[in-house]
Amino acid sequence: MSRPPFSGAQHIRLIAYFLATFLFTWSVWFAAAGLAAPGNTGFFGVRGPVFLLGIFAPGLVALAFTAHAEGRTRVTQLLARIGHWQVSARWYAFALGYFAVIKLAAALIHRIVTGEWPPFGNTPVAMMLAGIAVSTWVQAGEEVGWRGYALPRLAKYFGLGGASLVLGALWALWHLPLFFLPDSGSTGQSFPAYLLQVMALSVVLAFLYWKTNGSLLLVMLLHASVNNTTGIVPAAIGGAVTPIALGGSLVAWATVALSWAVALPLLVRMRGADVQGMLTSASGASH
């Protein structure tokens, strides 16, 4: 199936979407970094609400662009995807368990390579599940924009698999300031390792979005699960100061390799995927 060339008013609007989102988020995050209260060195202290506004930028900009170009009805259709919950139970299990399995497998690789288990996190499972339940709704701030708005439009030009890779690279780049701002949780860590992992995750999220007929709820759940289970086997290196280097722990690179072991077969399965249903209101049964 031939695709339209990446040119014209629609592609200009899509480029403008990413530029506006980056400008919004990065401005807010750098402003948040400058709001340190005396004695408060934590990045998410009093600056938390300001930082959170930046997280919601992808969705807020997407809603503004949709309202301007397509009207309120399309805004309602986009938001309605959050309520698209009637999908097969296996996709809920996949969203909840995908990254936890990846992390445990990375720990096993560490054990095989070094003869020792890596340090495991001490967050109780109940607390992880509670974190997923709460932060799933926060992920609407990103997923309304990334998967709800940008992915289907990129897929018109690059196909679903290609779009997932382009979006993954842009999504990772959107996080770049966090590797330089102090006390962000990512400060000084290997951005190249992060870029590769996020691109693989973007493929998985695109596949899930496609297979659930455009359910934002399911990609929000997967996104929240990744964020809240990464600490099962921490990959961060203490005292890291070179975010652009190809550093990173064995756990980090094992996680990258395992993520791509999942993503590559999904890219093959997404070849020729029909994305038209992702541009209309969420309805119908899941695949």
Side-chain angles (χ1 to χ4, degrees):
M1 181 177 63
S2 63
R3 300 189 183 99
F6 192 61
S7 61
Q10 289 187 341
H11 99 275
I12 293 174
R13 189 178 301 117
L14 190 53
I15 292 173
Y17 165 75
F18 284 111
L19 290 175
T21 299
F22 273 58
L23 179 61
F24 186 160
T25 297
W26 288 13
S27 297
V28 169
W29 283 354
F30 279 102
L35 291 176
N40 174 31
T41 59
F43 190 80
F44 299 105
V46 295
R47 297 170 285 178
V50 179
F51 176 83
L52 193 62
L53 179 61
I55 291 178
F56 275 83
L60 294 174
V61 175
L63 294 175
F65 272 54
T66 301
H68 179 265
E70 303 173 53
R72 293 183 180 180
T73 299
R74 295 289 287 171
V75 171
T76 301
Q77 290 176 343
L78 177 56
L79 291 175
R81 293 183 175 279
I82 297 174
H84 182 34
W85 62 271
Q86 292 178 307
V87 302
S88 171
R90 74 179 186 273
W91 297 121
Y92 282 95
F94 178 81
L96 283 168
Y98 158 76
F99 203 62
V101 172
I102 291 282
K103 295 296 285 189
L104 292 173
L108 181 59
I109 290 176
H110 187 284
R111 176 71 172 82
I112 293 170
V113 171
T114 68
E116 299 179 351
W117 290 104
F120 285 82
N122 55 10
T123 304
V125 173
M127 187 172 295
M128 286 185 186
L129 293 174
I132 291 170
V134 172
S135 64
T136 291
W137 307 106
V138 176
Q139 300 312 322
E142 289 192 49
E143 294 304 336
V144 166
W146 299 144
R147 253 55 62 174
Y149 181 86
L151 178 64
R153 288 164 175 80
L154 285 170
K156 290 173 60 179
Y157 302 103
F158 303 110
L160 186 56
S164 70
L165 295 173
V166 172
L167 179 58
L170 290 168
W171 183 26
L173 184 61
W174 177 75
H175 288 88
L176 184 60
L178 301 183
F179 289 77
F180 295 91
L181 294 173
D183 304 310
S184 71
S186 299
T187 308
Q189 301 302 314
S190 172
F191 182 75
Y194 179 80
L195 170 66
L196 291 172
Q197 182 183 326
V198 169
M199 289 180 70
L201 176 59
S202 182
V203 172
V204 174
L205 284 163
F207 180 81
L208 181 63
Y209 194 56
W210 172 47
K211 283 296 184 179
T212 57
N213 196 31
S215 172
L216 280 176
L217 177 62
L218 266 292
V219 294
M220 287 159 51
L221 178 62
L222 175 55
H223 193 157
S225 298
V226 170
N227 287 350
N228 285 277
T229 60
T230 188
I232 291 176
V233 187
I237 295 177
V241 294
T242 53
I244 304 301
L246 287 172
S249 64
L250 175 57
V251 169
W253 285 106
T255 301
V256 170
L258 290 164
S259 297
W260 277 103
V262 175
L264 288 174
L266 299 186
L267 279 172
V268 174
R269 293 185 62 182
M270 286 191 289
R271 291 179 62 183
D274 180 8
V275 299
Q276 289 306 307
M278 292 161 53
L279 288 167
T280 58
S281 60
S283 61
S286 64
H287 292 45

